[in-house]
Amino acid sequence: MSGQRRLLTWTLNAGSQAYEEDLEKYGHKIYALGVHEFQVEYDGEIYVRRAIPSFYDGDNYGTYRWGADADGDGLPDHFIDNAKTRSWMSWSFWRSIERGMRRWSHIRHYISFILFGATRVTRMFDNPAYQDNFIENVKAVIDNVMNSYNYPGESNAPYIKGIEIDFEASFSDSQYDYRTGDNITYMNILKRIKNEVCIPRGLALQVNAYAMWGKNTPFYYRFHDYELFANTTDSQGNAVIDELQIMTYDFSWNGSSPGASTPLWWFKEVSDWAKQCFGAPGAKLTMDRVFFGAAGYGHRWGIYDYNRLYGSTITYRNFIDWQNGLYKHNHSTEQIGSDGNTIYEWHNQEFLCFAGIEDQESKNQILQQHVYDYFKARYGVVSEVNGSPTARLSTYNGQEYITTYSRIQRSEFTNIVAESFAPSSTDPAPSPSGQVRTYNGIINTPITIKENGVVSTRSGIIGYQTYGKKWIPKTEQGVGTYCDLVPSGKVTYTLNVPSAGSYRLIALVSFIWYNQAKLGCILNGSHSFTIQPFADYYPLMFKASHWYDCGVKQFQAGANTITIDGDLSDDGTVIYGFIVCEDFKNNFSGGEVTFKSTVKPFKKKDGTYASVPATLAITSKALRQDPIPLIMWEDRFAQYRRVVDEQGNVTYQDLPDLTTSSYYAKYEVRTAKGNGDTLSADKTYCYDPANPTYEIGYSWGVWAVKQDPYNGNPDDAYAYWGDLNSGGRLLVNYEFRSNLCVEIEFRVTQAGAVGIQFGGSSGTDGYVFVADYKARKLRLTLNDVVIQEQDLPASYGVGDRTKLKVILHNGKGYFYFGYSDVKAFGGQIFDLSRGSGGVTGIYANKVEARFYVLRISTTDKWDLMEKFTVETKIGGQTYRKTFGAISRSGYTIDPNFGYLNFSGIDETVTRDPLPDGKKPEISLDYEFFITEVPGFDGSADIKVIFDDPGIWYAYLYVCDKEGASVTWCGDSYSFLDTMNRAVNEYGAKGIGLWTMGQEDPRLFETIPDVVPYHEAPPGI
Amino acid sequence: MLDPKKWRRFSGTFSFSHDEPIDFVRVEIVADDAVIRNENNEDVPLYITDIHFQAGKQLTGWVPETREFLRKLYHTNDETKTRVSVDDIYNGGKTPVKRTNLEFREYNIAGRGIEVFTLPNWYPDDWYVQVLPTGVDFEIIPKDDYDLFRLCTNDGSLKDPEHYYNNDPDHPLSMTYTREFTIGGGSAGVPIKILSRSGKAYVGSTRLPIGGVNSITLSDGSNFPIKRRSFFLAQKGASRFRIEFYKFKNGILQDTGIGYYGTAKFNQWTFGRSRF
């Protein structure tokens, strides 16, 4: 315990009233203060931070260097350099800092050097001369500030105990994707500072680090390498870094959607990784010298107006002022008033007092100003189709949301005139291996029928399968003597139509697999038609049942028959029945959720109730996603582990070999039976001597399905290849026709090769895109001949989960490694011998690997995941607004299946440009979507309709259109919670509070004193 | 004289197994990282008044010694404080008002289902004034019919396994809190009042008994055991209170998102003069 629960904070707000009050009252509880005042340029020049105006957003501080006259007052501005210019030291903030040193002499002051921005950081990293200049300037600054300006003749050396380095840069731009070695460069700079600046002066080195939750994770902060931090030593054999502050705050910020600055789930992921590095045996920098971070401030985000969504930072004291109704919503008029201040316009709403809400995960307080009703996703009432909810609750990164994973057929019928879900006859009678068989795919499923807006169900429907004619041995006393032709199976449905005419015929069918997806039908004995998918991307393939629009047919009054003939059908295709109606809509979309809202007025400060606002905003917090190539086959492998008993109880067990399933059937040559009238030698079957055998399947090797041990969820599974001496393929049992996008997510656990096979016509030919972890190569091969090869990026190692992606579109091949959209092989696009499709799936060779996802999509169509509709009725008037639809004026959306009719690899070309010429983008974060309705005192149902799947719907707010916000702020509870976790669970030294003057002052009461409180020394 | 402001509380949490009863707890106090020297660097005694065990993971507030004389705090609510320019425009005629000598603070509540509300028992007129715990009056008006209501502190722990609701340790009713006030089913629009300052509670105009109620009958006819009904204190800072509404769904009380609105109201106290 000794020396832990310490508080580190910074001088950012030195001079402000709250900072000075905190320092006076709680200085005895502060362990260290980062003197956060020196800004570094890419070339190593150092500037006084406060000399750079807050509005400055350029990329070169040079304007503000000494000698330049940025403020136009005719005098040079202020700058730190070897010339030891000291005039800035007369500024009040420096007086405050120097006084603070003497007020609390125990506080360890660290002089901070701040270098922000990828363009600056990379330029310094790439130029040793800039690094030399930086280090020389650090020396100059340190030596400069050691002499007190405000206490002439005194030294600051007793108080300045260290140097703090704060290099922050996000390498999120794709130009940095293949940049490597920055972690080593940065470590070397730190090492030089320690050896050349700190050690000769007896100073410690403190470093601020990004919150990382794995090696190179997140990838854009990878130059902050905890393993290097932990193990690199200085010239004396000690850790280069004496203290590390991990910035576990600002996960949510003004530009993000509302949330905690330090969500607990994120803190845990970061802390776990930190402990793995700094708690490792032999680590030089150990956990007891690590601080985690917590923010003292919060953020307020408007939720009532699209122009007010961007957040603003608020202090804890601002938060209390909001609670006490000293604020209401306002905006700047950008006019200057008679007193020289900007005139603000305060909106037409009362100054109201509000209780806060605790986020039970982060312990942060949430204030929902002028929000009259709100719903978490879990409180929505989800509509059902076929007995299943059309949307499901899920959680990602601690945020609950409701979503529809893939489109659901929520069909709507107009004026049904006849229906039949049981055949009037079958020929022959059904039997388990006969020409007509029954199929119980939906016997326990209530099938939803929505007719003219009214929902009803049909239950207990039995399916029927027909089989084509075949030859079988004619048996006499059990021994075949010649062959007999057995005719095809036939199933007939009778539909009683009241009046003759043209009606739309809808079939309820199931296409079990690509070779069980055709029904040949004859209407009233003469009119034949076929039910079958129009392409291999038919969106309703594999469904237990779906409605199939057979088109408009002529029906006679009274009985009409429809016969399914096995000779005209694929064997085993399932028919459940028919509906005859006047019109039909597929409505292949996401689900529907209803929120039953009640709005009631708030109380004013005088105890009377305010009026309900004249206009309310209904605001949805939802996340949209970019369109994706239309999925034809997606497997996460969990389904193979689920065993459901007759009572519906689910248990889980590993599957020894996935190639025993029909989906990934193992390649075999089988004897053809029944395809001809020649009796076999053993007289047990008949066959065609010209075609005595047939082939099935493409896969080879043994592919088990196991549970992923990562989080203990039995529904997290993977397909496993574990043979280090040989190879295998897990290939879908179908040769695709369409243009392809194939993705696999995997984790190599013992080095070898994994990849994607595509573009061939068998299990052994075609292209393979390979990541070879043993040879450390990424390569493209055709029938084992290497076409192209590159080194596997060093940052991808054994044990890391990652991804491979292949696109084969109109004879061009595009290849991707990792989760980046940057093409592998230096961006090369390949001309391939096959234009599209082929046999495809997973490749493994002499490797132990876990495959989590196999997704096969087509780039011929794109599935949209962007729009939803909010609908409510108030005062008899319906208000309906659709959000998120991107305008694509040159392209159509399929009216039946909702996909975008675009064939290509870059869907963004379909998007109409915005007025500024840029293409509209879909945020990776939650966004707010606002509609206005008249104010109401009472209840209204608010319906959210997912026009597309993949919308993550998290919250619905009903709030004042004049102004409403969601505000998150940490307080002493959340701070103590973070401190307890940091120290008790991870053995850290304490918390870095970013930053003093903004926080709940009660947090100081939760930490031990460093020294006893004492009055200020005389003269201070 | 010992200065009461110099007393400090230290706390820690520990877990114990539910499998075995606890015979005794031995507490060893180690002053390892404590400051036990005064400003003159002299050793001074470390006084310990008491050790308090409480279920849960959060510190509760403390209640001052009843012999202390408390002093009521009056406050100012000055809406003009946030004005930016003297020429600021206030739409709808809703201009800022400065109210002085105010006794009560009253905060609007709007929520659904189970939420933890925070009440700011701060005194921003003088940020560092010692604010003491104070009784809170809750008036909560449900927006939907409900089957169970519970108002409680946010400091609690899991019940013993035999008392889990529906044998489910993850069900929120399997938690117990230091103070609870539980009410059976009720209708939308009928206010629930739990008034700490007067020690009275009502549903609509019906006054509720406080002591002697060990269980209540729910709408399904079942008997639901409850903890003794208690009123509520807000300590200094952002005090937490849980509002829980439940509705039967599939025969089980569940958080279905019952809506409610209302207020929490209190006045504030600081130290008067010590008897010592």
Side-chain angles (χ1 to χ4, degrees):
Chain A
M1 279 293 291
S2 183
Q4 290 183 300
R5 304 187 85 79
R6 293 306 189 212
L7 184 78
L8 163 72
T9 187
W10 287 268
T11 63
L12 184 79
N13 293 317
S16 75
Q17 182 186 346
Y19 176 94
E20 298 300 332
E21 284 179 4
D22 282 346
L23 186 68
E24 175 56 33
K25 189 169 172 60
Y26 299 116
H28 59 302
K29 290 174 178 289
I30 297 170
Y31 165 78
L33 262 176
V35 181
H36 191 82
E37 306 297 343
F38 302 108
Q39 201 103 14
V40 182
E41 186 52 274
Y42 67 88
D43 56 2
E45 295 296 297
I46 298 175
Y47 302 78
V48 177
R49 177 179 63 82
R50 297 185 197 226
I52 302 169
S54 58
F55 59 76
Y56 176 73
D57 61 357
D59 59 3
N60 188 336
Y61 300 132
T63 312
Y64 299 102
R65 62 176 297 141
W66 182 83
D69 178 15
D71 54 14
D73 63 359
L75 298 170
D77 297 322
H78 305 285
F79 161 69
I80 296 291
D81 69 353
N82 290 325
K84 300 188 190 310
T85 301
R86 294 164 62 95
S87 59
W88 60 272
M89 287 182 164
S90 64
W91 297 359
S92 62
F93 83 90
W94 188 248
R95 191 160 59 246
S96 162
I97 290 169
E98 288 198 329
R99 180 192 170 275
M101 291 175 178
R102 287 153 181 82
R103 172 66 183 91
W104 298 105
S105 61
H106 71 279
I107 296 178
R108 297 168 62 84
H109 284 71
Y110 299 150
I111 305 298
S112 309
F113 296 93
I114 312 152
L115 178 59
F116 285 179
T119 53
R120 288 195 180 91
V121 167
T122 51
R123 288 173 80 181
M124 175 173 282
F125 283 2
D126 294 344
N127 192 327
Y130 294 162
Q131 297 165 25
D132 292 343
N133 191 38
F134 170 55
I135 287 166
E136 289 308 310
N137 281 327
V138 170
K139 289 177 190 172
V141 171
I142 291 294
D143 293 341
N144 194 6
V145 300
M146 284 296 182
N147 299 316
S148 173
Y149 177 85
N150 295 291
Y151 297 87
E154 287 191 19
S155 169
N156 289 332
Y159 320 112
I160 296 174
K161 300 292 189 186
I163 289 174
E164 177 183 290
I165 298 298
D166 190 7
F167 280 21
E168 300 182 26
S170 174
F171 294 174
S172 51
D173 192 287
S174 60
Q175 66 175 302
Y176 303 118
D177 276 6
Y178 284 91
R179 212 182 144 85
T180 58
D182 290 321
N183 53 341
I184 295 166
T185 306
Y186 183 44
M187 195 69 237
N188 285 337
I189 293 172
L190 295 175
K191 192 171 184 172
R192 286 189 62 191
I193 293 169
K194 182 69 179 296
N195 290 339
E196 297 174 31
V197 188
C198 294
I199 290 176
R201 292 164 178 78
L203 299 173
L205 178 62
Q206 193 255 321
V207 171
N208 291 331
Y210 278 118
M212 310 291 286
W213 50 94
K215 188 175 178 65
N216 300 312
T217 310
F219 192 59
Y220 44 83
Y221 292 154
R222 60 191 179 280
F223 77 98
H224 284 203
D225 185 332
Y226 288 7
E227 289 174 327
L228 284 180
F229 291 170
N231 299 312
T232 308
T233 53
D234 63 20
S235 59
Q236 299 183 330
N238 301 314
V240 163
I241 298 172
D242 295 297
E243 287 175 359
L244 186 75
Q245 193 261 144
I246 296 176
M247 298 183 286
T248 44
Y249 45 80
D250 281 352
F251 182 85
S252 300
W253 57 291
N254 287 336
S256 74
S257 71
S261 182
T262 307
L264 198 56
W265 64 267
W266 180 63
F267 181 82
K268 183 178 183 313
E269 287 193 1
V270 174
S271 310
D272 284 346
W273 174 239
K275 191 162 188 178
Q276 198 173 321
C277 297
F278 306 115
K284 294 290 182 181
L285 173 58
T286 49
M287 278 305 297
D288 60 352
R289 288 189 284 152
V290 171
F291 289 85
F292 290 100
Y297 51 89
H299 304 278
R300 181 178 67 82
W301 294 268
I303 59 169
Y304 64 103
D305 182 330
Y306 283 106
N307 296 317
R308 310 285 169 206
L309 298 179
Y310 196 82
S312 51
T313 303
I314 65 162
T315 68
Y316 184 76
R317 295 177 193 217
N318 295 149
F319 187 89
I320 300 296
D321 285 347
W322 266 105
Q323 286 198 289
N324 284 327
L326 302 187
Y327 284 107
K328 61 178 180 175
H329 294 86
N330 57 59
H331 67 271
S332 167
T333 64
E334 299 183 2
Q335 306 293 315
I336 303 300
S338 57
D339 56 359
N341 295 319
T342 303
I343 299 171
Y344 273 68
E345 187 172 331
W346 297 70
H347 299 182
N348 183 11
Q349 60 184 187
E350 302 287 349
F351 287 98
L352 297 172
C353 299
F354 296 101
I357 296 170
E358 183 192 80
D359 169 45
Q360 295 181 45
E361 200 246 13
S362 65
K363 305 277 188 292
N364 277 210
Q365 288 190 64
I366 307 168
L367 194 60
Q368 299 184 160
Q369 297 100 314
H370 300 266
V371 173
Y372 286 79
D373 200 2
Y374 66 96
F375 294 83
K376 299 169 186 169
R378 59 169 54 227
Y379 296 146
V381 178
V382 178
S383 69
E384 293 191 345
V385 167
N386 298 345
S388 296
T390 57
R392 291 180 190 277
L393 198 64
S394 191
T395 303
Y396 183 73
N397 285 352
Q399 169 81 68
E400 264 188 2
Y401 61 90
I402 200 157
T403 192
T404 304
Y405 290 108
S406 55
R407 289 179 191 272
I408 297 166
Q409 196 180 28
R410 300 193 297 124
S411 301
E412 295 174 12
F413 296 86
T414 303
N415 297 337
I416 293 174
V417 296
E419 67 177 53
S420 175
F421 295 104
S424 48
S425 66
T426 71
D427 179 20
S431 63
S433 55
Q435 297 296 79
V436 173
R437 303 175 196 177
T438 56
Y439 186 81
N440 291 339
I442 59 169
I443 193 163
N444 295 318
T445 304
I447 297 298
T448 299
I449 295 177
K450 187 174 183 183
E451 180 191 5
N452 304 333
V454 178
V455 172
S456 59
T457 57
R458 308 289 184 272
S459 298
I461 299 173
I462 297 170
Y464 288 82
Q465 298 168 299
T466 58
Y467 289 79
K469 64 178 180 288
K470 65 179 180 182
W471 295 90
I472 60 170
K474 178 75 174 177
T475 57
E476 290 177 357
Q477 297 175 343
V479 180
T481 54
Y482 60 92
C483 293
D484 213 8
L485 184 64
V486 179
S488 64
K490 295 181 180 63
V491 177
T492 300
Y493 290 81
T494 300
L495 293 144
N496 288 303
V497 175
S499 307
S502 298
Y503 297 100
R504 194 164 280 278
L505 178 66
I506 311 299
L508 187 64
V509 301
S510 177
F511 300 153
I512 297 172
W513 192 245
Y514 295 101
N515 60 0
Q516 290 175 282
K518 182 181 176 186
L519 292 167
C521 309
I522 301 166
L523 173 61
N524 289 331
S526 59
H527 173 68
S528 62
F529 62 94
T530 305
I531 294 171
Q532 62 184 351
F534 50 79
D536 52 7
Y537 54 78
Y538 180 67
L540 291 160
M541 196 71 89
F542 321 125
K543 302 283 186 193
S545 72
H546 71 271
W547 300 108
Y548 183 97
D549 186 350
C550 306
V552 174
K553 310 287 181 195
Q554 287 295 323
F555 288 86
Q556 60 201 24
N560 293 264
T561 60
I562 300 174
T563 299
I564 316 294
D565 186 342
D567 274 349
L568 304 174
S569 307
D570 283 349
D571 286 353
T573 310
V574 180
I575 177 73
Y576 290 109
F578 292 94
I579 283 180
V580 180
C581 59
E582 291 186 355
D583 201 6
F584 171 80
K585 279 187 190 162
N586 241 316
N587 197 16
F588 194 53
S589 62
E592 189 178 294
V593 188
T594 300
F595 299 95
K596 297 178 180 300
S597 176
T598 300
V599 170
K600 287 293 175 184
F602 286 124
K603 229 178 209 183
K604 296 192 287 188
K605 290 174 185 171
D606 64 5
T608 63
Y609 280 101
S611 303
V612 168
T615 307
L616 292 168
I618 296 176
T619 301
S620 299
K621 179 183 176 183
L623 184 147
R624 299 146 67 223
Q625 304 192 52
D626 276 317
I628 55 171
L630 188 65
I631 294 173
M632 298 191 287
W633 176 255
E634 184 175 51
D635 212 337
R636 293 172 186 266
F637 304 107
Q639 57 171 315
Y640 309 107
R641 295 190 66 255
R642 289 166 66 95
V643 181
V644 184
D645 67 15
E646 289 179 356
Q647 284 73 46
N649 300 313
V650 178
T651 55
Y652 296 87
Q653 62 186 46
D654 290 351
L655 183 72
D657 188 4
L658 190 49
T659 67
T660 57
S661 77
S662 58
Y663 310 132
Y664 299 100
K666 194 181 289 288
Y667 171 74
E668 283 179 1
V669 177
R670 290 186 180 171
T671 302
K673 296 180 179 179
N675 63 337
D677 59 358
T678 302
L679 192 62
S680 66
D682 64 359
K683 301 182 178 178
T684 59
Y685 64 93
C686 302
Y687 73 108
D688 173 5
N691 296 293
T693 60
Y694 68 101
E695 297 174 348
I696 71 149
Y698 301 106
S699 298
W700 42 286
V702 177
W703 293 81
V705 177
K706 300 186 176 194
Q707 181 184 346
D708 186 3
Y710 178 66
N711 62 9
N713 181 352
D715 272 331
D716 286 343
Y718 57 81
Y720 175 72
W721 182 264
D723 190 339
L724 292 168
N725 298 310
S726 63
R729 309 282 190 277
L730 186 67
L731 302 168
V732 174
N733 183 18
Y734 177 66
E735 186 176 346
F736 289 92
R737 309 289 176 201
S738 302
N739 282 313
L740 287 183
C741 173
V742 187
E743 298 158 274
I744 60 171
E745 288 186 41
F746 61 93
R747 192 190 308 272
V748 170
T749 50
Q750 280 208 56
V754 298
I756 295 171
Q757 178 171 327
F758 66 101
S761 55
S762 77
T764 52
D765 72 349
Y767 295 92
V768 186
F769 177 43
V770 181
D772 187 337
Y773 279 66
K774 200 164 194 174
R776 301 298 306 171
K777 294 288 181 189
L778 204 57
R779 63 175 81 95
L780 174 65
T781 66
L782 173 60
N783 299 334
D784 295 331
V785 176
V786 175
I787 298 174
Q788 185 58 281
E789 191 172 67
Q790 73 168 75
D791 289 342
L792 198 63
S795 49
Y796 292 90
V798 168
D800 298 334
R801 180 168 169 159
T802 189
K803 179 178 172 180
L804 287 175
K805 182 165 94 172
V806 166
I807 293 175
L808 169 56
H809 187 91
N810 292 346
K812 303 280 186 190
Y814 309 80
F815 303 92
Y816 305 84
F817 180 61
Y819 292 94
S820 163
D821 285 334
V822 176
K823 294 182 193 72
F825 305 121
Q828 187 178 349
I829 298 168
F830 295 80
D831 288 317
L832 303 182
S833 56
R834 177 162 178 156
S836 65
V839 174
T840 191
I842 301 171
Y843 164 99
N845 191 27
K846 297 178 182 176
V847 68
E848 188 180 88
R850 301 169 180 182
F851 299 90
Y852 301 97
V853 179
L854 167 63
R855 185 180 303 116
I856 301 169
S857 318
T858 180
T859 46
D860 288 330
K861 305 288 175 188
W862 287 70
D863 206 3
L864 303 173
M865 297 190 290
E866 62 193 32
K867 57 185 178 293
F868 66 97
T869 298
V870 173
E871 181 185 295
T872 190
K873 188 182 272 188
I874 294 164
Q877 173 84 33
T878 297
Y879 298 86
R880 182 183 170 93
K881 189 166 183 180
T882 296
F883 298 100
I886 291 176
S887 177
R888 297 177 172 87
S889 52
Y891 299 86
T892 58
I893 293 172
D894 185 274
N896 284 314
F897 297 105
Y899 50 65
L900 177 68
N901 285 313
F902 167 70
S903 182
I905 66 156
D906 178 11
E907 167 279 330
T908 62
V909 303
T910 68
R911 304 180 190 185
D912 291 347
L914 299 169
D916 64 4
K918 293 179 182 169
K919 286 289 172 73
E921 292 185 351
I922 292 178
S923 172
L924 297 173
D925 199 354
Y926 283 94
E927 299 173 281
F928 288 115
F929 302 90
I930 303 164
T931 186
E932 292 177 34
V933 296
F936 61 94
D937 183 342
S939 298
D941 282 0
I942 300 169
K943 198 182 285 184
V944 176
I945 302 149
F946 299 131
D947 301 298
D948 291 334
I951 306 290
W952 291 12
Y953 196 91
Y955 256 89
L956 183 140
Y957 301 91
V958 182
C959 55
D960 187 351
K961 184 68 184 84
E962 282 285 321
S965 301
V966 173
T967 305
W968 286 65
C969 194
D971 67 3
S972 60
Y973 282 80
S974 56
F975 176 85
L976 180 60
D977 195 53
T978 308
M979 178 71 94
N980 285 343
R981 289 173 200 281
V983 176
N984 299 351
E985 291 183 29
Y986 294 97
K989 189 175 185 71
I991 292 292
L993 173 69
W994 180 256
T995 182
M996 188 162 72
Q998 301 170 320
E999 77 297 324
D1000 172 2
R1002 205 178 170 213
L1003 69 82
F1004 287 104
E1005 297 174 15
T1006 68
I1007 53 176
D1009 297 352
V1010 181
V1011 296
Y1013 181 85
H1014 58 78
E1015 299 300 329
I1020 300 302
Chain B
M1 185 177 115
L2 294 172
D3 180 354
K5 295 178 186 174
K6 288 198 170 180
W7 291 96
R8 291 286 179 270
R9 282 195 310 166
F10 294 93
S11 68
T13 58
F14 64 93
S15 301
F16 59 89
S17 167
H18 276 290
D19 300 337
E20 297 174 21
I22 293 173
D23 191 15
F24 66 92
V25 177
R26 178 167 172 249
V27 180
E28 187 174 340
I29 297 172
V30 181
D32 179 55
D33 193 26
V35 176
I36 51 172
R37 284 169 176 266
N38 65 12
E39 47 268 36
N40 300 321
N41 203 25
E42 298 162 341
D43 284 340
V44 293
L46 182 69
Y47 298 98
I48 296 167
T49 60
D50 57 272
I51 294 168
H52 180 198
F53 285 91
Q54 190 173 42
K57 291 183 176 176
Q58 293 195 32
L59 275 80
T60 51
W62 57 279
V63 180
E65 161 61 46
T66 53
R67 286 170 297 179
E68 303 285 345
F69 287 95
L70 306 184
R71 181 166 59 85
K72 195 179 276 185
L73 284 166
Y74 292 83
H75 69 277
T76 297
N77 189 280
D78 183 4
E79 293 163 358
T80 66
K81 176 184 157 184
T82 53
R83 172 185 280 161
V84 183
S85 163
V86 294
D87 298 318
D88 276 6
I89 299 158
Y90 291 88
N91 293 337
K94 298 188 173 84
T95 52
V97 176
K98 181 175 181 178
R99 300 175 178 84
T100 58
N101 212 30
L102 299 173
E103 182 177 359
F104 293 104
R105 294 183 183 276
E106 188 171 24
Y107 296 93
N108 282 293
I109 287 171
R112 283 202 170 264
I114 297 174
E115 286 285 21
V116 176
F117 287 90
T118 65
L119 296 179
N121 189 13
W122 284 109
Y123 191 70
D125 303 44
D126 180 352
W127 195 255
Y128 296 105
V129 74
Q130 281 292 333
V131 177
L132 299 175
T134 184
V136 183
D137 290 350
F138 288 93
E139 181 177 8
I140 297 160
I141 305 163
K143 293 177 175 177
D144 308 294
D145 296 347
Y146 60 95
D147 291 318
L148 189 82
F149 163 82
R150 181 167 73 162
L151 174 65
C152 40
T153 58
N154 196 33
D155 316 303
S157 69
L158 198 59
K159 292 177 179 173
D160 291 335
E162 62 268 30
H163 296 133
Y164 289 165
Y165 179 75
N166 196 38
N167 292 318
D168 178 4
D170 295 326
H171 194 286
L173 285 170
S174 296
M175 291 287 290
T176 182
Y177 297 91
T178 48
R179 286 168 181 262
E180 299 182 3
F181 202 115
T182 308
I183 296 170
S187 301
V190 180
I192 300 165
K193 294 180 184 175
I194 298 170
L195 310 174
S196 303
R197 288 184 305 119
S198 62
K200 295 175 182 171
Y202 302 86
V203 172
S205 58
T206 305
R207 185 167 171 188
L208 300 175
I210 307 302
V213 183
N214 299 319
S215 66
I216 50 179
T217 303
L218 302 182
S219 61
D220 67 345
S222 64
N223 221 23
F224 187 83
I226 65 168
K227 196 170 176 172
R228 181 188 162 83
R229 287 169 167 166
S230 303
F231 294 97
F232 296 89
L233 291 170
Q235 71 212 54
K236 179 185 178 184
S239 293
R240 266 72 166 165
F241 300 94
R242 294 176 68 86
I243 293 177
E244 301 180 347
F245 276 96
Y246 297 92
K247 183 103 179 138
F248 278 114
K249 190 175 173 185
N250 302 324
I252 299 167
L253 288 166
Q254 296 191 35
D255 173 10
T256 58
I258 299 291
Y260 47 89
Y261 68 107
T263 56
K265 183 176 181 179
F266 57 86
N267 55 10
Q268 292 181 292
W269 304 88
T270 188
F271 287 109
R273 192 180 58 170
S274 171
R275 263 186 149 183
F276 297 116

